[in-house]
Amino acid sequence: MPVSDIPDIGLGTYENTDHDRCAWSVKTAINVGYRHVDTAQIYDNETAVGEGIAESDVDRDDLFVATKIDSRNLGYDEVLEHTEACMDRLDVDVVDLLYVHWPIRTYDPEATLAAFDHLYENGTIRHIGLSNFTPPLLEEALDVLESPLYAHQVECHPLLQQDELRGYAREEGHYLVAYSPVMKGRVTEVPELVDIAERHDATPGQVSLAWLLSKENVVVIPKASSEDHIRENLAALDLTLDDTDVELIDSIEREERLVDFDLAPWNT
């Protein structure tokens, strides 16, 4: 039986564009215990990700593979065509989770989501995901989708806590998948995380991941391409923060968005 639930931690592959390095890091991550791999059409590394999966010691059915359709390809026919191309590059017969990457450019709720419904209904994809939606866009998509929404992927970390979107995930019964969960390495600049890490003999990155994983319906996909970082992130599963630690991070009021550009939906 294929994996039915999304694993708590996945390997992010954004900017992992060196083919051999990407394939090696995916294979390594799977072999040390990861069962969730996240990529995207626009990352230009799906072929390498597929090679890493094929070269690993784990059966495909034991893995959860997610990819995303680029915002330039979100017309109805284009979604169907490009999903097939993504699967060819990944060398998989089914995608566990397919996302609308950004609700911009060619995104049209009716046409785009109808295509995702079709892919879900015919078994090409096991789950439907959205990524980088604002609360109003998320509400609209939930109204339009005929199939269940499984996951919403957004930037989320201690300096961008996404309370409202995490609330939607809890209320609507889907997962919030946190990208940039270790803030592109800048967790070492957050004193609260550094202090907690010292108390637990952990790293600030592990503290950030453990904090996110303490939240209901939250999954993390830190990117890593070295074995040390791959293992370090996975070890966050063994870190349990106490209530005081969680409350300290919850109380951080500083906010910083790391992924931002003029066309992003929260800027329009």
Side-chain angles (χ1 to χ4, degrees):
M1 287 291 291
V3 174
S4 58
D5 292 324
I6 189 169
D8 287 341
I9 187 166
L11 179 72
T13 61
Y14 175 59
E15 293 182 333
N16 195 349
T17 53
D18 179 277
H19 183 96
D20 292 342
R21 184 72 174 181
C22 182
W24 176 88
S25 63
V26 169
K27 177 182 71 173
T28 299
I30 294 170
N31 287 346
V32 303
Y34 286 74
R35 295 295 179 265
H36 172 192
V37 180
D38 181 274
T39 183
Q41 186 177 35
I42 202 171
Y43 296 173
D44 196 27
N45 62 9
E46 287 172 313
T47 301
V49 169
E51 286 184 14
I53 290 170
E55 293 170 2
S56 75
D57 299 331
V58 176
D59 290 342
R60 164 67 183 97
D61 278 352
D62 294 326
L63 300 174
F64 192 98
V65 180
T67 192
K68 313 174 192 75
I69 300 298
D70 181 47
S71 61
R72 296 172 178 83
N73 306 318
L74 293 174
Y76 183 91
D77 291 336
E78 287 75 19
V79 168
L80 304 186
E81 173 188 347
H82 286 274
T83 299
E84 192 70 32
C86 289
M87 293 169 63
D88 287 345
R89 287 188 292 270
L90 287 164
D91 193 23
V92 297
D93 296 325
V94 62
V95 174
D96 295 290
L97 176 57
L98 185 71
Y99 293 94
V100 176
H101 201 163
W102 289 89
I104 57 175
R105 298 189 177 98
T106 63
Y107 173 70
D108 174 80
E110 299 290 342
T112 302
L113 299 178
F116 274 70
D117 278 327
H118 175 77
L119 291 167
Y120 175 79
E121 288 162 5
N122 72 13
T124 303
I125 64 176
R126 292 195 174 105
H127 300 293
I128 292 173
L130 305 173
S131 186
N132 299 301
F133 280 54
T134 61
L137 287 170
L138 182 59
E139 286 184 8
E140 177 185 49
L142 288 169
D143 286 341
V144 172
L145 271 172
E146 296 181 0
S147 310
L149 176 65
Y150 188 77
H152 183 209
Q153 184 176 134
V154 292
E155 179 183 347
C156 189
H157 47 70
L159 296 191
L160 190 64
Q161 299 195 7
Q162 300 284 21
D163 291 344
E164 186 174 4
L165 291 175
R166 285 193 288 110
Y168 271 111
R170 291 191 303 272
E171 293 162 13
E172 299 293 338
H174 60 261
Y175 290 96
L176 185 139
V177 179
Y179 72 74
S180 297
V182 295
M183 298 175 53
K184 299 180 181 289
R186 294 177 59 184
V187 283
T188 57
E189 300 171 15
V190 182
E192 294 89 344
L193 301 182
V194 174
D195 291 345
I196 294 169
E198 290 174 352
R199 291 201 297 275
H200 287 274
D201 192 25
T203 66
Q206 289 171 332
V207 171
S208 184
L209 295 173
W211 172 76
L212 284 162
L213 292 172
S214 75
K215 304 302 183 183
E216 188 176 351
N217 287 39
V218 174
V219 169
V220 297
I221 50 166
K223 68 177 186 179
S225 57
S226 72
E227 184 169 353
D228 285 348
H229 281 140
I230 287 169
R231 289 183 179 275
E232 176 187 325
N233 292 336
L234 187 63
L237 292 172
D238 300 322
L239 174 61
T240 300
L241 303 180
D242 59 37
D243 290 344
T244 302
D245 298 327
V246 172
E247 289 166 6
L248 177 60
I249 299 172
D250 287 347
S251 68
I252 294 174
E253 294 184 353
R254 304 184 305 286
E255 186 167 295
E256 184 173 355
R257 187 183 291 276
L258 303 176
V259 178
D260 200 13
F261 56 101
D262 289 345
L263 199 57
W266 46 83
N267 291 327
T268 58

